[in-house]
Amino acid sequence: MAAQQNKIIIDSLWKQFNTRKGKVTALQNINLTIPEGSFLVIVGPSGCGKTTLLRILADLEHETAGSVTINRTSKDKPLNNMIFQENSVLPWMTVRNNIGYGLMIRRVDKAKRDEIVNRYIKMVGLSKFADAYPHQLSGGMKQRVSIARAFANDPEILLMDEPFASLDEQNRILLQQELVKIWESHRKTVIYITHSIDEALNLGDQVAIMTAHPGRIKAIIDVDLPRPRNITEIRKDPRFAEQFHLIWNQLREEVMRAKAEEGLVLEGAEGA
C-alpha cells in the first residue's frame, strides 16, 4: 500500500499581534504534519490560538514567522472551505441554492451542479426542505446546509471551527454522525476545532492538544477507535474511556494554567 502523502506541513509557525501594550504572541513554534485524507481535531484551553491557527490555514491571517505548505492535487478545486460556529447560510437563498453556491461561483455546468447538489441534499437528509429558506430551518438544519455546501464545493482542505458548539446535545450527536458518514465517503482532509474531548474522539483520526497561551503543540494522540465509526456505539468501547482520560490528563494542566492566568488578569484589573 502506498504511503499517505502529507497534505499540510506547518513548520516552526509563530503568530504575533501588535497591541497598544506591545506584541502579543498567539502561536509559538507550531509544527504539524497532516496526511492527505486525515481528520485532525485540535483541542486546547480558551485563548490558546486554535482559531488563529485555523484562520492562517484559511489565509485569513498571515503568520509572523515559519511557513504553511498545502500540497494541492488539483488547480480546479478551491484551496479550502471554512465552517464557523455561527451558521453562514445566505438568508436570501434556498437550501438548494445555498449548497450549490460555491459550484455556481466556479461556473460548474448546471447539469453537473444539480447532480452534485441533489446528492448532498439527500446525504444530509434535507430532501423535503430543498426549496426552503434559512428562516424556515432549525439551527441544526442550517449547519447541515453549511456542511453540505462545503463538501459539495470539493475543496482541497476543510476547516471547521466548533461548528456544532451552539447546538443542543441531540442535534450535536446527529450532526457528528452525518459528518462522519460524509467524511468516510470522501476522505477529505479536515482540521476541526472543538472544546469537547468526546467530540474529538467521535470524529478524529488524531487529536492535537495545544498548551495555554501562547499556543504550542503539547501532544498528538492517535485515536485508536475503528472506522467506519458509529458514534452511538463507540462510546461503549473501553478504548473510548481510556483515550478520553489520556487526552484529559494532557489537557487538564493547560486548562488549569489558563484559568490561573485569567484569574491573575482579573485580579490585576480589579486592583488597577
Side-chain angles (χ1 to χ4, degrees):
M1 186 175 176
Q4 217 172 355
Q5 179 186 351
N6 291 326
K7 186 67 174 177
I8 304 171
I9 301 169
I10 302 172
D11 183 28
S12 304
L13 186 141
W14 290 65
K15 177 62 180 179
Q16 292 182 324
F17 291 100
N18 293 315
T19 72
R20 286 181 293 178
K21 295 184 179 181
K23 292 184 182 296
V24 174
T25 300
L27 298 170
Q28 186 178 79
N29 198 32
I30 301 288
N31 291 282
L32 271 176
T33 301
I34 304 167
E36 175 87 43
S38 65
F39 199 124
L40 176 74
V41 181
I42 301 175
V43 298
S46 296
C48 72
K50 300 184 296 295
T51 296
T52 298
L53 178 57
L54 213 64
R55 287 176 61 84
I56 290 172
L57 289 170
D59 205 26
L60 299 174
E61 297 277 358
H62 297 290
E63 62 273 17
T64 305
S67 64
V68 173
T69 303
I70 301 174
N71 292 316
R72 303 195 70 152
T73 57
S74 171
K75 292 182 179 179
D76 296 329
K77 296 181 180 181
L79 183 60
N80 65 71
N81 269 116
M82 191 162 179
I83 301 176
F84 300 92
Q85 180 176 335
E86 305 82 12
N87 83 77
S88 56
V89 295
L90 301 172
W92 60 88
M93 286 188 175
T94 63
V95 166
R96 184 184 305 281
N97 290 337
N98 261 288
I99 293 173
Y101 181 70
L103 299 169
M104 182 183 69
I105 293 297
R106 290 167 53 201
R107 298 187 179 182
V108 172
D109 174 77
K110 188 178 185 305
K112 180 67 173 175
R113 187 168 77 234
D114 288 346
E115 176 193 334
I116 294 169
V117 168
N118 288 334
R119 183 166 76 246
Y120 279 97
I121 286 173
K122 184 177 180 181
M123 199 174 287
V124 296
L126 290 174
S127 297
K128 293 182 180 178
F129 299 89
D131 297 312
Y133 287 88
H135 73 272
Q136 299 170 307
L137 306 177
S138 68
M141 287 176 174
K142 290 175 188 175
Q143 285 299 65
R144 288 179 187 221
V145 174
S146 295
I147 291 167
R149 180 174 61 195
F151 274 94
N153 203 28
D154 196 22
E156 293 275 337
I157 60 174
L158 185 56
L159 309 170
M160 307 184 77
D161 189 1
E162 297 192 78
F164 308 147
S166 62
L167 302 177
D168 60 62
E169 181 70 11
Q170 295 93 330
N171 269 309
R172 192 155 56 244
I173 292 171
L174 286 171
L175 282 177
Q176 286 172 8
Q177 191 65 66
E178 293 286 351
L179 178 57
V180 164
K181 182 177 68 176
I182 297 171
W183 178 82
E184 287 177 346
S185 299
H186 297 273
R187 295 285 173 161
K188 185 74 58 188
T189 305
V190 177
I191 300 91
Y192 189 105
I193 288 175
T194 183
H195 278 96
S196 167
I197 300 174
D198 272 6
E199 187 168 62
L201 290 171
N202 286 341
L203 300 175
D205 292 318
Q206 290 184 314
V207 179
I209 301 166
M210 290 185 68
T211 66
H213 176 268
R216 302 182 304 279
I217 301 297
K218 180 176 185 178
I220 297 177
I221 308 294
D222 291 321
V223 178
D224 182 25
L225 292 166
R227 293 193 187 275
R229 198 172 285 174
N230 184 319
I231 285 171
T232 57
E233 293 297 320
I234 62 167
R235 296 184 184 198
K236 301 174 186 176
D237 191 319
R239 289 172 292 182
F240 188 94
E242 290 170 9
Q243 295 221 286
F244 184 101
H245 289 293
L246 177 63
I247 294 169
W248 174 238
N249 287 337
Q250 292 276 356
L251 187 58
R252 177 174 50 195
E253 181 183 354
E254 303 308 321
V255 172
M256 298 305 292
R257 186 156 69 88
K259 292 290 185 186
E261 289 177 359
E262 184 180 299
L264 288 172
V265 168
L266 290 173
E267 187 179 322
E270 288 171 1

